[in-house]
Amino acid sequence: MREVAVTGSDGAVDVRSTLQRMRRRGGLPVAFGGLFSGSRQFRISELTGTTTNSLRGLAITPGNGLGGKVLTMSRPISVADYPTSRAISHEYDAAVGAERLRSMLAVPVVVRGRVRGVLYGALRQPLVLGDRALTSAMESARELERVLESELAQELAVREEAQRLLTEARQRRGQPPGPRWEPSAEETDPAVWEEVREAHGDLRALAHRVPDRKLREEILTVCSRLARASSGRGRQREHRSGRNGVELSPREVDVLACVASGATNSTAAERLGLRPETVKSYLRSSMRKLGAHTRLHAVVEARRAGLLP
């Protein structure tokens, strides 16, 4: 089975809320972490309780430092005094020192047998972290794993639905089902398509926060071009309005882009600056226009129509 990335556009929100719970439960003054990006590189993306940005965006190499060791060994590790510890290498001492961190723990976020991210907790004193801190970190990691597992299951369901609809369309045209579609080498790389879809969703969300109407329209036009170009994936493209003359409003497309990333209605509302009831209304409207019976079916039909990448 193809590997599917689990870092949708809401991943930052999930990690941030997880870190906040971890700090509260474990009595940790500082917590930070992140998930693997579409490029399969782990970076620290979310910080809470820090006083500088020295750790933000830091790329962690497997095997290096505390987090890199966790990536390699796939188990929780803690050190009583990071700067002097002989249990880890010290490639990241400058960033850690700028934040004055001493005692530190790190736990892996594991989904379907693969490490997808790391959560860190830290003190500014060289003390042995107790069971409370480690237990809270491990519980928080398990909670995040369940969220990511759900998002992964939704993405796989979308792909399975797409395959089913393609088979049904072939049968209606009297064509043999044929072998399962095997995409090209570029198309089989989940990182490529996750990056495209994440960028598309981010651009659409950003457009509606731009006060300049002309610039906002230009951004949305680029989004539409991106969706049309990528949805065909080398085959004949279809017009933006789709084969059946379906045309969605910009906000309907925004909502479907969030749904495609695995977002709930409440998460989509937070991201788009809308009320959950409004998101639900846009979703119902787009499903009706696309002739879809489920959220996933709507995403599939929108992609087939060139409305989503």
Side-chain angles (χ1 to χ4, degrees):
M1 179 183 292
R2 291 168 53 193
E3 179 184 351
V4 181
V6 293
T7 54
S9 55
D10 302 303
V13 176
D14 296 332
V15 174
R16 192 178 310 119
S17 60
T18 298
L19 291 171
Q20 290 168 349
R21 288 195 301 272
M22 191 175 93
R23 282 185 66 198
R24 184 173 62 252
R25 294 170 178 170
L28 294 163
V30 178
F32 50 97
L35 302 174
F36 275 90
S37 66
S39 61
R40 298 176 182 171
Q41 183 177 44
F42 173 68
R43 290 181 180 273
I44 296 172
S45 59
E46 299 301 316
L47 314 173
T48 175
T50 54
T51 58
T52 74
N53 280 318
S54 64
L55 297 167
R56 188 178 299 280
L58 192 65
I60 306 299
T61 303
N64 291 350
L66 182 64
K69 192 169 183 178
V70 168
L71 290 175
T72 301
M73 302 184 70
S74 188
R75 65 175 179 83
I77 300 174
S78 64
V79 293
D81 191 12
Y82 189 101
T84 63
S85 175
R86 296 184 179 181
I88 59 172
S89 59
H90 291 274
E91 290 83 358
Y92 311 111
D93 280 6
V96 172
E99 195 57 46
R100 305 191 311 280
L101 302 181
R102 303 293 294 272
S103 181
M104 193 182 302
L105 62 81
V107 296
V109 177
V110 182
V111 179
R112 300 199 176 186
R114 294 181 64 87
V115 178
R116 305 290 184 169
V118 178
L119 305 180
Y120 301 78
L123 306 175
R124 292 190 170 88
Q125 300 83 29
L127 303 173
V128 176
L129 287 162
D131 290 342
R132 177 190 174 192
L134 184 58
T135 299
S136 74
M138 294 178 65
E139 289 177 349
S140 298
R142 299 299 86 78
E143 291 169 358
L144 182 56
E145 287 167 2
R146 287 193 287 272
V147 172
L148 298 177
E149 176 71 28
S150 175
E151 293 176 357
L152 177 59
Q154 290 188 53
E155 176 65 15
L156 290 173
V158 168
R159 295 184 179 186
E160 290 172 0
E161 179 75 357
Q163 182 64 45
R164 184 185 67 79
L165 293 172
L166 178 60
T167 300
E168 289 181 357
R170 285 177 175 272
Q171 292 172 342
R172 286 196 298 269
R173 292 196 298 267
Q175 298 176 350
R180 290 182 63 84
W181 171 54
E182 294 294 338
S184 66
E186 282 188 354
E187 292 170 323
T188 57
D189 185 353
V192 173
W193 290 108
E194 289 306 318
E195 288 284 2
V196 169
R197 288 169 177 169
E198 184 175 347
H200 174 266
D202 288 346
L203 279 173
R204 293 201 68 91
L206 174 64
H208 293 285
R209 297 198 296 270
V210 174
D212 188 305
R213 183 181 62 82
K214 184 176 180 181
L215 179 57
R216 181 169 62 251
E217 291 176 351
E218 289 178 357
I219 294 174
L220 290 174
T221 298
V222 171
C223 290
S224 297
R225 289 174 56 195
L226 177 63
R228 288 199 305 271
S230 59
S231 63
R233 300 191 184 182
R235 297 185 294 277
Q236 182 178 2
R237 272 55 166 174
E238 295 178 292
H239 187 267
R240 177 179 180 273
S241 60
R243 291 172 299 179
N244 299 319
V246 175
E247 186 168 355
L248 302 184
S249 71
R251 273 311 198 185
E252 288 169 340
V253 177
D254 293 339
V255 169
L256 282 181
C258 288
V259 170
S261 72
T264 63
N265 288 352
S266 59
T267 302
E270 180 181 356
R271 184 180 175 210
L272 298 174
L274 301 173
R275 295 171 58 85
E277 296 79 8
T278 304
V279 168
K280 189 181 297 185
S281 176
Y282 281 130
L283 184 56
R284 283 198 301 262
S285 175
S286 61
M287 288 171 61
R288 183 177 65 253
K289 291 178 181 180
L290 291 165
H293 304 294
T294 66
R295 296 157 61 95
L296 299 181
H297 189 182
V299 170
V300 170
E301 289 297 331
R303 284 175 176 165
R304 292 173 66 186
L307 297 168
L308 292 176

